[in-house]
Amino acid sequence: MALSISIKAQHSLEKIWETDSVVNLPESVLPDIKNKILYVSVMGNNPNDKDGIGGVAKIGLDGKVIDLNWITGLNAPKGLTRIGNLMYAADLTDVVVIDIAKGKVTLKIPIDSAKFLNDITVSDKGIVYVSDTRTKRIHKVEKNIASLYMENVNSVNGLKAIGNDLYIAGGKTIWKADAQKKLTAIAELPYGGDGLEPIGNGDFLFTSWGGYVYYVYADGKYDLLLDTHLEKKNTADLGYDPVKSILYIPTFYKKTVMAYQLK
């Protein structure tokens, strides 16, 4: 494993801010840089409960809360993604469709046999992919119709659709699935993955929930950018601004969101 660490870390993180308001179990951050908003999934009291107290919050790019109750009535929502005016949330057993302009849930798409929907991504063709960590499955939603896309992906979590490929954090491995679902291992990390965000040059940012953030190079080598595990500060499903190179990291049980400058 040590062989794949780059000899001298080429990248580092510098903290910009951390929210001072309580965000009740934030799991995922979806930046809308143009409108200066971070959308944050708020699970509520428990990541497993269908209790209707979850939702989506809006926070400014400066870390100031805009609206903790922008969307309410969800069930421990986790991954968020969007295309145009539509936001998709992985809401435990359903994919929830939100009209961003209206700030309203317009549709709930039940996912067959789902137990713990986790991350979600949408391709430029509007196809949504959602991972179910507990059943080891990836489902796809096309024209609001859900179907099974892939199964037996151990510890599947982070997803990112790029062109015709789907990048998958399955445990400690980053996989690339091509249009024919052929899997290629891109990198092997020390800990299981949560969030996966492309830098734009073939490299990725990779978070491990226990408190680790990695910069992963296209050749599979990686730098450890952040280690907060001793503070028991989780690093869940990050958001990334590729223009300003800023990471937005939800801390789950610490109930905050942090912003870091990538250098």
Side-chain angles (χ1 to χ4, degrees):
M1 188 173 70
L3 292 176
S4 34
I5 299 179
S6 36
I7 304 304
K8 183 176 184 305
Q10 298 171 44
H11 295 279
S12 61
L13 291 182
E14 184 180 291
K15 193 167 187 181
I16 305 171
W17 53 253
E18 184 166 357
T19 52
D20 52 14
S21 303
V22 170
V23 184
N24 200 10
L25 264 59
E27 203 281 334
S28 181
V29 178
L30 178 66
D32 177 350
I33 303 305
K34 193 174 81 165
N35 293 306
K36 301 184 174 163
I37 294 168
L38 303 173
Y39 294 101
V40 182
S41 60
V42 180
M43 292 182 292
N45 298 338
N46 190 301
N48 304 290
D49 286 356
K50 269 201 166 185
D51 51 17
I53 64 167
V56 182
K58 284 161 89 168
I59 293 174
L61 298 185
D62 57 0
K64 301 283 188 286
V65 167
I66 299 167
D67 186 357
L68 286 176
N69 301 299
W70 178 62
I71 298 291
T72 57
L74 301 187
N75 298 307
K78 295 171 184 64
L80 301 174
T81 191
R82 70 175 287 185
I83 185 165
N85 183 49
L86 294 180
M87 181 183 296
Y88 296 89
D91 199 37
L92 215 57
T93 59
D94 302 79
V95 169
V96 171
V97 186
I98 297 163
D99 181 311
I100 295 172
K102 293 178 181 166
K104 283 198 170 110
V105 172
T106 58
L107 188 62
K108 292 192 175 188
I109 303 165
I111 302 298
D112 182 45
S113 72
K115 291 193 175 147
F116 197 82
L117 297 182
N118 208 329
D119 201 15
I120 194 163
T121 186
V122 61
S123 76
D124 49 19
K125 297 185 177 75
I127 300 169
V128 175
Y129 299 90
V130 61
S131 60
D132 186 340
T133 305
R134 294 203 178 139
T135 63
K136 306 181 185 178
R137 290 175 170 171
I138 299 169
H139 301 267
K140 78 170 180 177
V141 178
E142 195 167 2
K143 295 178 179 163
N144 296 332
I145 306 292
S147 61
L148 179 64
Y149 179 72
M150 193 177 283
E151 51 190 341
N152 300 317
V153 186
N154 284 332
S155 304
V156 64
N157 192 340
L159 299 177
K160 189 56 69 170
I162 303 173
N164 293 318
D165 299 323
L166 180 65
Y167 288 83
I168 303 162
K172 300 175 182 178
T173 309
I174 299 176
W175 300 95
K176 181 179 86 169
D178 67 13
Q180 284 71 48
K181 303 186 200 177
K182 178 173 174 284
L183 288 170
T184 307
I186 302 293
E188 192 77 19
L189 281 295
Y191 300 98
D194 194 322
L196 191 63
E197 282 293 329
I199 297 289
N201 57 358
D203 300 349
F204 280 90
L205 293 163
F206 178 97
T207 56
S208 297
W209 184 84
Y212 306 92
V213 181
Y214 295 92
Y215 189 104
V216 183
Y217 297 91
D219 63 4
K221 292 188 173 68
Y222 56 84
D223 296 336
L224 175 62
L225 297 178
L226 187 68
D227 177 356
T228 55
H229 85 279
L230 291 176
E231 301 160 58
K232 295 197 165 31
K233 193 174 271 190
N234 306 120
T235 46
D237 185 13
L238 81 161
Y240 182 62
D241 173 358
V243 177
K244 292 190 174 171
S245 303
I246 296 175
L247 291 71
Y248 298 101
I249 303 170
T251 66
F252 211 89
Y253 286 125
K254 284 294 183 196
K255 301 187 176 183
T256 62
V257 176
M258 308 183 291
Y260 283 88
Q261 179 72 55
L262 176 66
K263 294 189 170 287

